[in-house]
Amino acid sequence: MLNLHRLFLLHELHRLETMSAVAQTHSMSPSAVSQQLSHLERETNVTLFEQAGRRVVLTDAGARLARRAEDVLGLLESAEAELKDAQGDVGGVLRVASFQTPLIALAPVAISVLEQGHPDLRVELAQREVEGAYEGLLAHRFEVILGEDYPGGQQVVRRGTDREGLLRDPLLLVLPDSGPWSRARTVADLADAPWALDPERTRTGLWERTYLRAAGVEPWVRFDTPDPLLQVHLVRSGHAVAFVPGIIASEHLGGTRPLRLPGDPHRSMYTAARAGAAGHPSLLAFRAALLEAAGALSDLRGLDRLGE
Amino acid sequence: MLNLHRLFLLHELHRLETMSAVAQTHSMSPSAVSQQLSHLERETNVTLFEQAGRRVVLTDAGARLARRAEDVLGLLESAEAELKDAQGDVGGVLRVASFQTPLIALAPVAISVLEQGHPDLRVELAQREVEGAYEGLLAHRFEVILGEDYPGGQQVVRRGTDREGLLRDPLLLVLPDSGPWSRARTVADLADAPWALDPERTRTGLWERTYLRAAGVEPWVRFDTPDPLLQVHLVRSGHAVAFVPGIIASEHLGGTRPLRLPGDPHRSMYTAARAGAAGHPSLLAFRAALLEAAGALSDLRGLDRLGE
DNA sequence: GGTACCATGAAGTAGAACTGCATGGTCTCG
DNA sequence: CGAGACCATGCAGTTCTACTTCATGGTACC
């Protein structure tokens, strides 16, 4: 009977490409990974990988076995989830990764909900961008992650994960309450405004620039920051205009003028978990709490809209 | 991630009922089994079994987990089989259990066939009755077993095993070449004959008695032996009449008079393997060789038939 | 051509799993 | 009812496995 831990390492090698990466990801030495994998080769009596330059590359057989290992590991995890589910055991530690805005506006509400209903569940939250969150999810450092898709971005659904829609979040513009930019009627009016935008390499920053350019505006980026709360602060003090996700609109936009945008752009937020763990009761409870929190958000449909 | 070895032990506990049996089956001390299983309980934080008198009984959750463990182990084994299959690797050791007659007439031929085609495959044969063979199969002591069903007996297909028909083997009567019993025309003529029968508690012995009684004969069992070669020897020397499986008819019945029986009774022979291992190339090769050996047996349809 | 990177081996270490032994409870049979 | 067999389990000590550390050699990159 093949050793499951070694199969896991093979699967991780398949995913992460190098033994060093596997080692680093799982806090072990490269030597240990190497030893375990060559042990696996010896016990299967099959060449699973070969040296290729300074790295190592899986053979066909190795890649095939790695995929099957994933199946086995998934089934094992679902067995574990089923066990917990059968006795309705919402408890233990649930490790979550999320990008920032849900941590501001959604997670605190969800946590409160969970503390009421499931006092034995300890939720741990880590702020990660979507890519890093997925990485941590697959490496078993998180049980659930929150992700987002912007219009025009391609949706990446990863093998072995279970994705569930959470919220369609409108993207808003915030103008200062007063001052020259408070009187803008169209996006084009803001062509010369000082913008507070997210860094260009981020999903948000990319979308913001794409949207503005589509409207014929090449923004003057006075503030380059990924922090939406800081952006709002800069708007409030009259130093910038900015985009803001609807999710933080209800609580944090005092002293500003939020507006809906032409074309009604939205981002889609979702949760993702490893497929095997999808039945885990703690996970189900967390997702339910998140949906409840999302449902409690204020309705933004009455907001003024910027012209074309 | 749950420890697979501990899950295996849980599954074995489910199957074998007591920890002692699990320990004995896998050559470890009862203490080790107990420690590993309570370790499993602690890491799942679920009560998997409870003391019940001097033994232990699985809870619902424990039984459920044990079944899921079986799924995981099956999938793991099939991954292993697929790996070997992908590189057509007929080799290593194949452990086989069989009841006696195939060992006489089928296995040697099959082994010769395999030695030709697959010199790297080492087949190890153990003589076991069907029940013991199944037990060893599930305990991973054998990869394949041979079994038989007699008319009227119920077919037991066990969970997690893959069964494949091998041969319909006619059941024959052997009479001495000469002497008073050589002239019998019907089964009833043998009412007072000295029989060499298999022990009553065996499948064969049970069928033999059932068949004779259905024909109105209460046999006088002079020799009670499970060895068909000995039975034939006793017939040849004129001391008994006996049943004999068709499978050994071609080679070992010299000096006797084999006859087909009224109603043309047959036993069905089959091979069985763990479902997960069904794709293993060594297993496929062995089954193919067995079928080839079965096909090479002499045709008995021309044999004389005893009257009703 | 120096430097960073990667896989791998040998030697020693830490931890997991096992054995042996002892204990206590339970069933069975005389 | 009592002796003996049977079973699970805990503790102490041993064995074995997986790991770390360190060193080596090969490879890619600037």
Side-chain angles (χ1 to χ4, degrees):
Chain A
M1 203 170 55
L2 293 179
N3 180 306
L4 197 59
H5 183 228
R6 296 202 259 262
L7 280 178
F8 174 68
L9 291 178
L10 182 71
H11 167 238
E12 286 296 83
L13 178 63
H14 187 223
R15 190 169 71 84
L16 298 169
E17 308 260 311
T18 77
M19 293 198 183
S20 291
V22 175
Q24 199 171 358
T25 302
H26 294 98
S27 310
M28 53 198 288
S29 67
S31 180
V33 176
S34 172
Q35 287 174 46
Q36 289 304 303
L37 286 176
S38 51
H39 202 316
L40 181 62
E41 267 197 318
R42 262 179 288 124
E43 70 183 355
T44 57
N45 205 28
V46 174
T47 303
L48 299 173
F49 51 90
E50 284 164 341
Q51 302 250 168
R54 64 181 168 184
R55 46 179 47 200
V56 91
V57 62
L58 289 183
T59 61
D60 280 359
R64 210 169 8 240
L65 185 59
R67 275 189 292 271
R68 304 298 256 111
E70 189 179 1
D71 297 340
V72 175
L73 291 162
L75 191 62
L76 179 61
E77 190 162 23
S78 71
E80 198 171 350
E82 183 184 306
L83 177 68
K84 296 284 182 181
D85 192 39
Q87 58 175 44
D89 192 359
V90 178
V93 176
L94 189 78
R95 294 165 301 173
V96 183
S98 168
F99 56 101
Q100 193 186 19
T101 47
L103 289 180
I104 298 172
L106 231 43
V109 180
I111 288 178
S112 298
V113 170
L114 286 171
E115 275 175 349
Q116 297 290 321
H118 305 290
D120 291 339
L121 179 62
R122 288 169 45 123
V123 178
E124 294 178 2
L125 290 149
Q127 181 178 342
R128 294 293 140 84
E129 290 312 307
V130 180
E131 289 72 19
Y134 258 116
E135 172 58 32
L137 180 70
L138 295 175
H140 292 240
R141 282 191 302 269
F142 306 120
E143 275 73 51
V144 210
I145 63 169
L146 281 81
E148 55 176 349
D149 284 320
Y150 277 90
Q154 75 281 26
Q155 291 196 5
V156 186
V157 176
R158 308 218 188 176
R159 186 181 146 82
T161 64
D162 171 84
R163 176 172 167 159
E164 185 182 292
L166 173 59
L167 181 62
R168 256 175 65 82
D169 189 30
L171 294 157
L172 308 175
L173 185 74
V174 267
L175 300 179
D177 251 354
S178 59
W181 307 113
S182 67
R183 289 183 295 273
R185 317 294 296 177
T186 68
V187 177
D189 292 346
L190 297 166
D192 297 322
W195 286 88
L197 296 187
D198 291 65
E200 188 156 15
R201 43 162 196 77
T202 66
R203 293 175 176 232
T204 313
L206 186 63
W207 172 82
E208 289 167 341
R209 284 163 179 76
T210 307
Y211 182 82
L212 288 175
R213 281 168 195 152
V217 173
E218 183 59 39
W220 166 36
V221 183
R222 182 186 262 171
F223 302 100
D224 183 305
T225 169
D227 183 342
L229 294 183
L230 174 57
Q231 292 177 8
V232 170
H233 175 72
L234 295 168
V235 173
R236 190 181 290 116
S237 59
H239 294 99
V241 299
F243 294 101
V244 74
I247 201 179
I248 66 167
S250 48
E251 301 225 20
H252 303 88
L253 297 187
T256 69
R257 219 181 126 225
L259 294 166
R260 301 178 68 201
L261 285 162
D264 242 340
H266 285 74
R267 59 175 180 171
S268 305
M269 297 177 35
Y270 56 89
T271 56
R274 286 183 300 280
H280 197 289
S282 299
L283 178 53
L284 295 173
F286 179 73
R287 277 178 156 166
L290 266 187
L291 285 170
E292 189 175 332
L297 290 173
S298 60
D299 192 344
L300 299 173
R301 276 172 299 183
L303 228 50
D304 286 343
R305 178 193 298 273
L306 208 63
E308 294 284 336
Chain B
M1 202 169 56
L2 293 179
N3 180 304
L4 196 59
H5 183 229
R6 296 202 258 263
L7 279 178
F8 174 67
L9 291 177
L10 182 70
H11 168 238
E12 286 296 84
L13 178 62
H14 187 223
R15 190 170 69 85
L16 298 169
E17 309 260 309
T18 77
M19 294 198 182
S20 292
V22 175
Q24 198 172 358
T25 301
H26 295 97
S27 309
M28 52 197 288
S29 66
S31 180
V33 176
S34 172
Q35 288 175 45
Q36 290 303 303
L37 286 176
S38 49
H39 202 318
L40 181 64
E41 268 197 317
R42 261 179 289 124
E43 70 183 355
T44 57
N45 204 27
V46 174
T47 304
L48 299 172
F49 51 90
E50 285 165 339
Q51 302 249 169
R54 63 181 169 186
R55 46 178 47 198
V56 91
V57 62
L58 289 183
T59 61
D60 280 359
R64 210 169 8 239
L65 185 59
R67 275 189 291 272
R68 303 297 256 113
E70 189 179 3
D71 297 340
V72 174
L73 292 162
L75 190 62
L76 178 62
E77 190 162 24
S78 72
E80 198 171 350
E82 182 182 304
L83 177 69
K84 296 283 182 183
D85 192 37
Q87 57 176 44
D89 191 1
V90 178
V93 177
L94 189 78
R95 294 165 301 173
V96 182
S98 168
F99 55 100
Q100 192 186 19
T101 47
L103 289 179
I104 298 171
L106 231 42
V109 180
I111 288 177
S112 299
V113 169
L114 285 172
E115 274 174 349
Q116 299 288 322
H118 305 290
D120 291 338
L121 180 62
R122 287 169 45 120
V123 178
E124 295 178 2
L125 291 148
Q127 181 178 343
R128 294 293 140 86
E129 290 311 307
V130 180
E131 287 74 19
Y134 258 117
E135 172 57 31
L137 179 71
L138 295 175
H140 292 239
R141 281 192 301 270
F142 306 120
E143 275 74 51
V144 210
I145 63 168
L146 281 81
E148 56 175 349
D149 284 320
Y150 277 90
Q154 75 281 26
Q155 291 196 5
V156 185
V157 176
R158 307 220 189 177
R159 186 182 148 82
T161 64
D162 172 83
R163 177 172 165 158
E164 185 181 294
L166 174 60
L167 182 62
R168 257 175 64 84
D169 188 32
L171 295 158
L172 307 176
L173 186 74
V174 267
L175 301 180
D177 252 355
S178 58
W181 306 112
S182 67
R183 287 182 297 274
R185 315 297 294 177
T186 68
V187 177
D189 291 346
L190 296 166
D192 297 321
W195 285 88
L197 295 187
D198 290 67
E200 188 155 15
R201 41 159 199 81
T202 66
R203 294 174 175 234
T204 314
L206 187 63
W207 173 81
E208 290 167 340
R209 284 164 178 77
T210 307
Y211 182 83
L212 287 174
R213 282 168 194 151
V217 173
E218 183 60 40
W220 166 37
V221 184
R222 182 186 262 172
F223 302 101
D224 183 304
T225 169
D227 183 344
L229 295 182
L230 174 57
Q231 291 177 9
V232 170
H233 173 75
L234 295 168
V235 173
R236 189 181 290 113
S237 59
H239 294 100
V241 298
F243 294 102
V244 77
I247 201 178
I248 66 167
S250 47
E251 301 227 22
H252 304 89
L253 297 186
T256 68
R257 219 182 127 222
L259 294 167
R260 299 180 70 202
L261 285 162
D264 242 339
H266 285 75
R267 58 175 180 172
S268 304
M269 296 177 36
Y270 57 87
T271 56
R274 285 183 302 280
H280 197 291
S282 299
L283 178 53
L284 295 172
F286 179 73
R287 277 177 156 165
L290 265 187
L291 284 169
E292 188 175 334
L297 290 172
S298 59
D299 192 345
L300 299 174
R301 276 172 298 185
L303 226 53
D304 285 342
R305 179 193 297 273
L306 208 63
E308 294 284 336

